[in-house]
């Protein structure tokens, strides 16, 4: 017996009459009380056994089931905590969406750096798994949005130092965990004989451990993960991912009970969707006109019991899986598809609307990157499904139904975002369809299907979904190879978050140095200090100086480093940059102040003061933006400077001039209130419990205790330097806005002296414009508008005159040579004018039924040739011949072409040859 196998031989199993079996269908090992059981019980090894055979004593709604679970574990010593947002990148920098309850506690709690908010604890955590998107609606059990009910316990091994980790000792482990699971099933009225515990080792995110899938009447209702190993090239355990692992000092009970599945099994409905979205399913079916006969409803009911075979992750071929189900039901596959596919779309719409409600309710703003991209992908797929199945209810109304049910208070913003996105989608489709036509023609000529890579790119760039590509491609005689898991592949491209930060290796030279004492937190106004030089490291362009303490602020959080000098008795060196590595502050200097010497540090006080104003102003501006634009606004990036600063905000629309003025008004109101700017260092759990994850606007700081900056009502985790009172900012002036990417708006602003200078620069430009226009500054807008209107009218009049002149020339007053070309007449003329006038004249001649051959020396030697319909002369060929005579080239379609070359001296000779060229081209 292997050591990993031994992990599953629990005392609880041995003392409660369980037996271990191997499933003959899938080969998995499982534990059961039923000695006669053959298979593991999970589809496709067995069909669902709870449909029309509800698994518990009572039927439960989602809300009732959630409360039953949380109450059970509260009664068994677990503390209930509030769920986290579905946007996991609010507190983590390695993932985007919350996919499991354990995400709430990674990496700080699971690594032992920070204690959990309670131990043990229970939670019902909303999650979104984009990789399940293609299964939704088809299997009857998959939902992209779901709640993972869970109980967790965080343990450390007895032989580790109590001070090494934030928690110590064992709360409970595998036997107790399985017993809790068993007892909860029993409390709900489940038959223990029907429960199977499948051995399924877990691997993820560099960790691993034994895990158990808990199956009841064909439904996987819980997974019990015992996270106890970490990836190690020298580890003794080889796991299913091919890597080796070793035991950790921490070991964690990580469980997941699917709220939706438990609710479904309690009701025994044909699919999970009727249990989770009963009202919405009925509304959508009615709206789309789906009305099943009694026989059709019976067939759907019977098919639901076999839907587990449609899992895209398990079935090698979805078409074969559908054929197999149809065969078992005794119907044709086409008949089954025609009946099931509209219902599957309805189920997916209901699920996707709940997913959008979670995303938008938790203030994710659709964009073309990160969580915003995933939200946009779900929204566009939902809109397409609605169009396909015939649901004509506005999408914002459908999402709002779910947002209301989930209790979100920002429903007006959610609806506004959906409406805005739907309109953007329409515009994108119009542009993208032309690209599809081009691709379809290309692959049709090759006699190849449009490949998956092109489909994904079409979706990424234009939002064009595979079924739309299929429709357009069919018109061009091309086919499409759409994989069953298309949307999962798209999500995989975007379902991670590296924050744009490159991994860098720590410099071992600094490993033995103590962390630098950071004086700038104790005295943010201080600009002079004394210190001892601990070490000096030579660089290619200077030196890195490490002190025992410093007031120099190292670059971080969008705030540039301080500059200044370090002076000893022997030398004074310039500090041009300051960086920090593992708590050691590195002063980049142009000279060596001497290791072990005593130095006096002097910071550029004016620069520091202006950076402090701008950093505090950044907090004020984002707070004002949230007041004006909505709570969905979050910081997407920031850069502080001396002359100006900028902040990037997530927002689904352009920021109007009126909104900018209001943001300025709110921000300067906070400045004029002259409130204190304070800092504190609370425990991370306490800070998150009180203020939520909006704390982390500027990034996610490490450590158990985090530094909070309070500016009026705004609270943010921040490591930067700040003024003492908002009045010290002086003033805030917005200098401009721009869209840096879809869904992200940039506000550039200035504070203090820079705000005054910025305002004066704008006024200078206004006064200069007033002087040029010879009006007062106040009259500049009206005067500029009048001048612009007059300029446009004058332009229109010039075009009209050109056309009149062209018509006059065409009428015989232009002096051109008329040449017979077969039955047609050509006018060959030198007309030294711009291209617009040449075109107008050529068009006028064509209207007279004549061929136009015009040459100009205004900008090199230029030719325009126009030919009436039905005349056997190719304008492109003529231009090509003439342009070659002046050292250039040109061409175009048969009816109109232009070209030329640099040799203006050869222009007249080329025009003299034009009649022969016309005749030669015609003869050809």
């Amino acid at each position: 017996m292997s050591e990993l196998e031994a992990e599953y031989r629990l005392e609880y199993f041995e003392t409660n009459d369980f037996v271990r079996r191997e499933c003959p269908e899938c080969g998995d090992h499982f534990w059961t009380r039923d000695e006669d059981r053959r298979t593991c019980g999970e589809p496709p090894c067995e069909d669902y056994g709870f449909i029309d055979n509800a698994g518990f004593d009572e039927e439960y709604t989602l809300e009732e089931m959630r409360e039953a679970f949380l109450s059970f574990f509260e009664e068994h010593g677990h503390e209930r905590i509030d769920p986290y947002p579905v946007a996991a990148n609010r507190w983590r920098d390695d993932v985007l969406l919350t996919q499991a309850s354990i995400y709430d506690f990674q990496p700080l709690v699971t690594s032992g750096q920070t204690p959990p908010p309670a131990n043990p604890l229970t939670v019902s955590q909303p999650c979104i798994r984009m990789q399940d998107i293609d299964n939704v609606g088809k299997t009857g059990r998959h939902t992209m949005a779901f709640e993972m009910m869970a109980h967790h316990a965080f343990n450390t091994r007895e032989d580790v130092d109590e001070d090494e980790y934030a928690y110590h000792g064992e709360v409970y482990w595998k036997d107790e965990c399985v017993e809790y699971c068993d007892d909860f099933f029993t409390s709900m009225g489940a038959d223990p004989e029907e429960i199977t515990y499948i051995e399924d080792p877990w691997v993820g995110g560099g960790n691993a451990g034994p895990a158990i899938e808990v199956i009841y009447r064909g439904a996987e209702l819980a997974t019990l993960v015992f996270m106890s190993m970490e990836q190690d090239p020298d580890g003794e355990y080889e796991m299913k991912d091919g890597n080796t692992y070793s035991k950790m000092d921490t070991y964690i009970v990580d469980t997941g009970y699917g709220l939706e599945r438990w609710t479904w099994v309690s009701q025994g409905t044909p699919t999970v969707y009727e249990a989770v979205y009963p009202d919405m399913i009925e509304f959508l079916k009615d709206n789309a006109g789906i009305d099943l006969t009694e026989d059709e409803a019976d067939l759907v009911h019977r098919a639901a019991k076999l839907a587990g075979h449609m899992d895209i992750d398990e079935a090698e071929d979805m078409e074969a899986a559908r054929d197999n189900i149809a065969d078992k039901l005794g119907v044709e596959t086409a008949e089954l598809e025609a009946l099931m596919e509209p219902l599957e779309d309805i189920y997916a719409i209901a699920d996707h609307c709940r997913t959008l409600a979670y995303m938008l309710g938790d203030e994710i703003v659709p964009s073309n990157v990160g969580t915003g991209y995933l939200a946009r992908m779900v929204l566009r797929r939902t809109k397409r499904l609605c169009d396909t199945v015939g649901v004509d209810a506005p999408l914002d109304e459908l999402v709002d139904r779910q947002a209301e049910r989930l209790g979100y208070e920002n429903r007006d913003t959610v609806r506004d975002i959906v409406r805005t996105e739907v309109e953007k989608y329409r515009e994108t489709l119009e542009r993208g369809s032309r690209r599809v036509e081009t691709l379809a023609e290309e692959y049709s000529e090759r006699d190849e299907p449009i490949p998956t890579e092109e489909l994904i790119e079409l979706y990424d760039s234009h939002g064009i979904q595979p079924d739309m590509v299929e429709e357009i491609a069919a018109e061009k005689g091309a086919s499409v190879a759409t994989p069953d898991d298309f949307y999962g592949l798209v999500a995989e491209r975007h379902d991670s978050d590296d924050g744009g930060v490159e991994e860098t290796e720590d410099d071992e030279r600094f490993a033995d140095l103590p962390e630098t004492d950071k004086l700038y937190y104790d005295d943010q106004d201080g600009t002079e200090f004394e210190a001892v030089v601990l070490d000096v490291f030579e660089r290619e362009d200077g030196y890195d100086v490490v002190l025992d303490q410093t007031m120099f602020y190292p670059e971080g959080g969008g705030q540039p480093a301080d500059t200044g000098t370090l002076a000893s008795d022997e030398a004074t060196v310039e500090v041009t940059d300051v960086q920090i590595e593992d708590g050691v502050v590195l002063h980049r200097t142009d000279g060596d102040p001497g290791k072990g010497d005593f130095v006096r540090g002097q910071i550029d006080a004016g620069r520091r003061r202006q950076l402090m104003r701008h950093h505090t102003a950044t907090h004020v501006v984002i707070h004002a933006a949230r007041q004006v634009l909505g709570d969905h606004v979050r910081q997407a990036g920031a850069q502080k400077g001396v002359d100006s600063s900028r902040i990037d905000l997530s927002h689904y629309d352009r920021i109007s001039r009126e909104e900018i003025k209001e943001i300025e008004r709110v921000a300067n109101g906070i400045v004029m209130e002259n409130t204190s700017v304070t800092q504190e260092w609370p425990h991370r759990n306490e800070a998150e419990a009180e203020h939520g994850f909006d704390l982390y606007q500027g990034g996610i700081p490490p450590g158990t205790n985090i530094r909070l900056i309070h500016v009026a009502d705004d609270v943010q985790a921040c490591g930067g330097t700040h003024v003492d009172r908002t009045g010290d900012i002086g003033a805030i002036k917005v200098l401009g806005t721009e869209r840096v990417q879809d869904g992200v708006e940039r506000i550039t602003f200035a504070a203090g002296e820079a705000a005054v200078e910025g305002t004066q620069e704008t006024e200078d430009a206004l006064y200069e414009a007033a002087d040029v226009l010879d009006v007062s500054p106040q009259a500049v807008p009206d005067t500029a508008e009048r001048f612009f209107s007059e300029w446009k009218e004058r332009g229109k009049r010039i075009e009209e005159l050109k056309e009149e002149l062209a018509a006059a020339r065409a009428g015989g007053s232009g002096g051109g040579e008329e040449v017979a070309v077969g039955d047609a007449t050509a006018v060959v003329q030198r007309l030294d004018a711009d291209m617009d006038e040449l075109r107008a004249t050529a068009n006028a001649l064509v209207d007279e039924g004549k061929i136009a051959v015009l040459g100009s020396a205004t900008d090199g030697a230029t030719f325009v040739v126009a030919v009436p319909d039905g005349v056997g002369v190719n304008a492109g060929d003529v231009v090509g011949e003439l342009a070659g005579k002046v050292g250039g080239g040109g061409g175009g379609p048969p009816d109109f072409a232009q070209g030329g070359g640099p040799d203006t001296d050869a222009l007249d000779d080329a025009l003299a040859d034009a009649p022969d060229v016309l005749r030669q081209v015609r003869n050809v």
Side-chain angles (χ1 to χ4, degrees):
M1 179 174 60
S2 69
E3 191 161 350
L4 191 58
E5 179 183 334
E7 293 277 356
Y8 294 102
R9 292 198 171 274
L10 306 183
E11 182 180 344
Y12 184 78
F13 286 152
E14 303 289 352
T15 59
N16 284 273
D17 302 323
F18 281 84
V19 291
R20 187 173 187 259
R21 294 282 187 263
E22 181 178 352
C23 179
E25 300 291 332
C26 65
D28 288 341
H29 288 89
F30 63 94
W31 293 83
T32 176
R33 288 182 171 95
D34 182 0
E35 294 190 5
D36 297 327
R37 172 172 282 280
R38 287 182 60 257
T39 69
C40 64
E42 183 177 25
C45 301
E46 283 188 27
D47 298 333
Y48 297 146
F50 62 88
I51 296 176
D52 301 327
N53 182 26
F56 306 132
D57 287 343
E58 299 177 24
E59 290 188 1
Y60 290 80
T61 64
L62 281 177
E63 293 74 19
E64 291 167 345
M65 182 60 75
R66 181 194 302 118
E67 184 56 37
F69 178 88
L70 295 174
S71 296
F72 174 88
F73 280 95
E74 276 188 313
E75 292 166 4
H76 288 79
H78 294 67
E79 182 175 329
R80 183 189 304 207
I81 68 166
D82 292 333
Y84 286 36
V86 295
N89 61 344
R90 301 279 165 84
W91 67 92
R92 296 178 59 172
D93 57 10
D94 58 335
V95 295
L96 295 176
L97 296 173
T98 308
Q99 296 190 41
S101 58
I102 195 65
Y103 276 43
D104 299 352
F105 314 111
Q106 292 172 315
L108 295 176
V109 176
T110 54
S111 64
Q113 297 178 57
T114 300
N119 197 11
L121 60 83
T122 185
V123 65
S124 188
Q125 174 61 49
C127 300
I128 296 174
R129 287 189 180 170
M130 298 296 297
Q131 60 265 41
D132 287 336
I133 188 169
D134 295 288
N135 270 324
V136 173
K138 293 182 173 63
T139 65
R141 72 177 186 272
H142 278 91
T143 58
M144 184 164 48
F146 64 97
E147 283 189 39
M148 181 177 283
M149 305 185 297
H151 58 98
H152 294 280
F154 303 89
N155 311 293
T156 59
R157 306 196 182 282
E158 292 183 358
D159 57 350
V160 302
D161 186 347
E162 283 195 37
D163 298 327
E164 192 173 349
Y165 296 100
Y167 45 89
H168 185 70
E170 182 174 291
V171 179
Y172 63 83
W173 193 223
K174 291 182 290 186
D175 282 283
E176 296 91 330
C177 179
V178 174
E179 184 174 2
Y180 280 134
C181 181
D182 229 24
D183 288 348
F184 181 61
F185 268 98
T186 303
S187 73
M188 301 297 290
D191 180 356
E193 293 280 329
E194 297 185 63
I195 304 171
T196 57
Y197 290 86
I198 302 175
E199 299 175 7
D200 183 28
W202 171 84
V203 173
N207 292 116
I212 295 172
E213 291 181 355
V214 188
I215 312 298
Y216 181 61
R217 293 188 181 174
E220 181 187 342
L221 293 186
T223 302
L224 314 177
V225 174
F226 305 106
M227 186 191 299
S228 54
M229 293 182 277
E230 59 188 351
Q231 194 169 323
D232 179 357
D234 300 321
E236 57 186 307
Y237 303 100
E238 183 174 346
M239 303 298 283
K240 58 186 177 182
D241 64 348
N243 294 310
T244 55
Y245 291 77
S246 57
K247 293 286 188 179
M248 299 189 301
D249 287 343
T250 61
Y251 55 107
I252 295 145
V253 172
D254 169 21
T255 69
Y257 295 65
L259 171 62
E260 291 73 17
R261 299 261 182 101
W262 281 80
T263 303
W264 180 24
V265 171
S266 81
Q267 296 182 23
T269 55
T271 73
V272 70
Y273 314 111
E274 283 94 356
V276 176
Y277 315 112
D279 296 337
M280 190 157 191
I281 295 295
E282 285 305 312
F283 173 83
L284 291 170
K285 287 165 65 176
D286 182 64
N287 186 276
I290 297 176
D291 187 16
L292 303 182
T293 66
E294 189 174 330
D295 288 342
E296 288 173 336
D298 177 67
L299 181 58
V300 167
H301 200 88
R302 289 188 292 130
K305 297 183 179 182
L306 304 174
H309 298 273
M310 293 292 291
D311 190 336
I312 287 169
D313 299 326
E314 303 290 341
E316 294 181 6
D317 185 330
M318 290 295 287
E319 289 186 16
R322 182 86 78 180
D323 290 341
N324 183 48
I325 292 174
D327 186 56
K328 289 186 176 183
L329 295 172
V331 298
E332 294 295 325
T333 301
E335 179 186 349
L336 184 63
E337 284 181 345
L339 188 60
M340 294 301 300
E341 286 182 352
L343 288 173
E344 290 167 357
D345 288 348
I346 291 292
Y347 298 150
I349 292 168
D351 170 78
H352 290 9
C353 286
R354 184 183 181 210
T355 302
L356 287 169
Y358 274 131
M359 286 178 151
L360 306 181
D362 276 350
E363 300 169 0
I364 292 174
V365 175
S367 69
N368 53 10
V369 295
T371 54
Y373 179 90
L374 298 176
R376 174 169 289 166
M377 187 180 88
V378 176
L379 190 147
R380 289 180 172 181
R381 184 171 195 251
T382 310
K383 181 67 174 77
R384 181 61 177 170
L385 288 170
C386 287
D387 293 343
T388 299
V389 80
V391 171
D392 61 5
L395 185 56
D396 62 292
E397 176 187 321
L398 300 179
V399 176
D400 183 59
R401 283 170 168 260
Q402 295 298 321
E404 180 182 23
R405 184 180 180 187
L406 294 170
Y408 285 113
E409 297 180 357
N410 60 339
R411 289 167 53 203
D412 288 344
T413 300
V414 169
R415 293 192 70 157
D416 197 22
I417 290 174
V418 175
R419 285 192 291 265
T420 301
E421 278 296 304
V422 168
E423 184 56 38
K424 286 181 182 178
Y425 185 33
R426 289 196 187 99
E427 296 169 359
T428 302
L429 289 180
E430 290 174 6
R431 295 192 300 269
S433 59
R434 293 189 291 273
R435 170 62 180 153
V436 179
E437 291 175 358
T438 302
L439 265 180
E441 289 174 354
E442 177 186 335
Y443 281 94
S444 177
E445 290 174 4
R446 297 186 195 174
D447 196 24
E448 297 175 3
I450 298 176
T452 300
E453 293 75 16
E454 294 282 13
L455 291 180
I456 292 176
E457 190 58 40
L458 282 170
Y459 186 88
D460 258 357
S461 302
H462 303 289
I464 304 290
Q465 302 188 51
D467 58 339
M468 299 180 66
V469 179
E470 290 173 9
E471 292 173 10
I472 297 172
E475 295 173 3
K476 302 294 182 181
S479 60
V480 177
T482 306
D484 294 323
D485 59 345
F486 172 79
Y487 290 97
L489 293 173
V490 174
E492 196 175 293
R493 271 192 173 192
H494 301 268
D495 199 12
S496 63
D497 187 9
D498 60 11
V501 179
E502 293 184 5
E503 293 287 336
T504 57
E505 293 186 6
D506 292 340
D507 195 325
E508 293 182 1
R509 296 178 302 168
F510 313 128
D512 295 331
L513 291 169
E515 288 193 14
T516 309
D517 188 9
K518 303 169 185 64
L519 303 177
Y520 48 80
Y521 284 146
D522 299 324
D523 182 7
Q524 297 183 86
D525 291 316
T527 57
E528 297 182 15
F529 67 99
E530 296 177 340
V532 174
V533 180
L534 298 183
D535 214 334
V536 178
F537 302 95
E538 190 168 358
R539 294 166 46 84
E540 188 175 326
D541 56 350
Y543 299 86
D544 277 339
V545 177
V546 180
L547 309 176
D548 65 332
Q549 59 181 7
T550 187
M551 276 188 172
F552 280 90
Y553 180 81
E555 181 181 10
Q559 180 173 326
D562 287 329
T563 59
T565 60
L566 294 176
S568 66
D569 292 338
E570 304 297 328
T572 298
V573 298
E574 294 287 332
V575 178
T576 57
D577 188 19
V578 186
Q579 298 293 321
I580 189 168
E581 186 169 316
D582 275 349
V584 177
V585 177
L586 310 174
H587 304 75
R588 305 239 159 116
T589 67
D590 63 350
D592 182 353
K595 181 177 178 178
D597 282 2
F598 187 79
V599 294
R600 293 175 299 280
Q602 176 68 56
I603 294 168
D604 183 333
R607 173 186 169 85
R608 158 69 78 80
R609 192 68 182 165
Q610 193 59 17
L611 289 172
M612 290 167 63
R613 288 192 182 108
H614 272 133
H615 203 142
T616 308
T618 300
H619 288 225
V620 172
V621 169
I622 192 169
H623 179 71
R626 287 170 67 88
Q627 299 299 305
V628 174
L629 302 176
D631 288 340
H632 64 279
V633 168
R634 293 184 55 80
Q635 180 175 315
Q639 183 61 51
K640 294 82 178 178
V642 175
D643 299 324
S644 66
S645 291
R646 67 174 188 263
I647 185 167
D648 296 340
L649 306 174
S650 58
H651 186 49
Y652 57 90
D653 206 354
R654 295 306 314 271
I655 303 177
S656 69
R657 176 61 187 157
E658 288 305 311
E659 288 169 333
I660 282 297
K661 288 164 65 176
E662 183 63 12
I663 289 170
E664 265 190 353
R665 188 191 67 76
V666 173
N668 282 292
I670 294 172
V671 170
M672 289 185 287
E673 288 172 0
N674 196 27
T675 58
S676 296
V677 178
T678 60
Q679 63 174 317
E680 62 168 330
W681 292 82
H683 191 285
R684 176 186 296 272
N685 290 341
E686 296 171 1
E688 291 174 354
E690 182 175 358
H691 303 291
F693 296 102
D694 285 341
L695 285 173
Y696 304 135
Q697 294 286 336
I700 305 157
T704 299
N705 291 79
I706 56 177
R707 181 174 183 250
L708 299 188
I709 297 297
H710 295 255
V711 183
D713 293 331
D714 182 75
V715 185
Q716 292 186 39
C718 180
T721 56
H722 293 271
V723 297
D724 292 329
R725 306 187 70 86
T726 57
D728 297 337
I729 295 172
I732 295 174
K733 177 63 183 173
V734 174
L735 304 178
T737 65
E738 62 177 312
R739 170 156 285 187
V740 294
Q741 66 185 46
D742 196 15
V744 178
E745 296 287 309
R746 173 170 292 170
I747 298 178
T748 303
F749 63 93
E753 296 173 2
V756 175
E757 292 171 1
T759 303
Q760 290 175 340
E761 288 177 4
T762 302
E763 288 182 342
D764 287 345
L766 177 62
Y767 276 97
E768 287 176 16
D771 287 343
V772 170
L773 297 172
D774 195 23
V775 295
S776 68
Q778 291 77 12
V780 166
D782 289 341
T783 304
E785 183 177 5
R786 176 168 55 83
F787 277 19
F788 183 66
S789 297
E790 291 174 356
W791 174 78
K792 286 197 299 183
E793 288 300 320
R794 189 169 288 115
K796 289 179 182 178
R797 183 55 185 153
I798 289 171
E799 290 301 315
E800 291 170 358
L801 291 172
K802 283 182 179 180
E803 291 177 4
E804 291 174 8
L805 178 59
R809 288 195 181 109
S813 59
E817 177 188 359
E818 292 196 354
V819 178
V821 182
D823 295 335
T825 299
V827 175
V828 181
Q829 180 179 0
R830 174 168 175 166
L831 178 63
D832 290 333
D834 62 24
M835 186 57 72
D836 288 341
E837 193 169 339
L838 289 177
R839 288 195 195 98
T841 302
N843 289 333
L845 287 167
V846 166
D847 289 343
E848 295 285 330
K850 298 174 181 179
I851 302 170
V853 181
L854 307 178
S856 170
T858 300
D859 183 15
T862 305
F863 299 99
V864 168
V865 177
V867 179
D869 290 339
V871 175
V873 173
N874 187 305
D877 292 343
V878 175
V879 164
E881 289 288 335
L882 297 178
K885 295 176 182 293
V886 294
D895 60 336
F896 190 94
Q898 63 189 55
D903 190 357
T904 53
D905 292 339
L907 175 64
D908 288 333
D909 289 340
L911 289 172
D913 293 341
D916 291 335
V917 171
L918 287 166
R919 295 185 186 103
Q920 290 169 5
V921 168
R922 181 174 179 274
N923 290 337
V924 171

